[in-house]
């Protein structure tokens, strides 16, 4: 019962993450010529993506609760969030800051 929910969840998160990596790629391509408007647009899109990630997690909490006990569901989301934090850290370490 767990794996179908997990697969659905990972597909939903992958869609959100694809949008994040589009922003990163756009930044990488335009970093040296980035305008103020482009920089703000990217920050807004990045913030929206973070909201979408949180909303996706919230949407799937009840689905996981139905197939695994509450403590295991909580542990799943703790581990999931930590893995995403590690991926965010790796990405941040590789992406240079906006040049002024």
């Amino acid at each position: 019962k767990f794996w179908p929910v997990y697969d659905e969840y990972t597909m939903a998160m992958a869609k959100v993450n694809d949008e994040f990596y589009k922003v990163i790629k756009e930044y990488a391509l335009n970093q040296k010529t980035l305008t103020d408007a482009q920089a703000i647009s990217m920050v807004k899109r990045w913030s929206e993506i973070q909201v979408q990630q949180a909303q996706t997690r919230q949407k799937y909490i009840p689905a996981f609760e139905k197939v695994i006990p509450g403590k295991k569901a909580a542990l799943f989301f703790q581990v999931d969030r930590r893995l995403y934090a590690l991926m965010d850290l790796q990405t941040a370490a590789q992406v240079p800051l906006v040049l002024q």
Side-chain angles (χ1 to χ4, degrees):
K1 292 182 180 183
F2 171 82
W3 292 110
V5 175
Y6 175 80
D7 291 340
E8 187 179 316
Y9 170 75
T10 56
M11 286 191 314
M13 288 298 278
K15 288 179 185 176
V16 176
N17 290 330
D18 287 347
E19 291 303 312
F20 172 70
Y21 288 112
K22 283 182 189 176
V23 173
I24 295 297
K25 287 179 185 178
E26 182 181 333
Y27 173 69
L29 290 173
N30 300 301
Q31 178 198 2
K32 294 182 180 175
T33 60
L34 199 64
T35 66
D36 287 339
Q38 288 172 316
I40 292 300
S41 173
M42 286 181 190
V43 168
K44 287 179 181 179
R45 287 169 49 208
W46 175 70
S47 294
E48 290 167 2
I49 290 164
Q50 287 183 314
V51 169
Q52 289 171 357
Q53 286 176 328
Q55 289 172 338
T56 301
R57 284 187 185 97
Q58 286 181 322
K59 175 184 172 185
Y60 279 91
I61 292 170
F64 279 101
E65 273 184 309
K66 289 179 183 176
V67 297
I68 57 177
K71 286 183 181 180
K72 284 188 179 182
L75 176 62
F76 169 80
F77 282 103
Q78 284 179 318
V79 171
D80 179 72
R81 185 61 204 111
R82 288 180 183 186
L83 290 173
Y84 275 93
L86 287 172
M87 289 188 299
D88 287 346
L89 184 59
Q90 284 181 325
T91 302
Q94 295 176 358
V95 176
L97 296 174
V98 173
L99 300 175
Q100 294 191 18

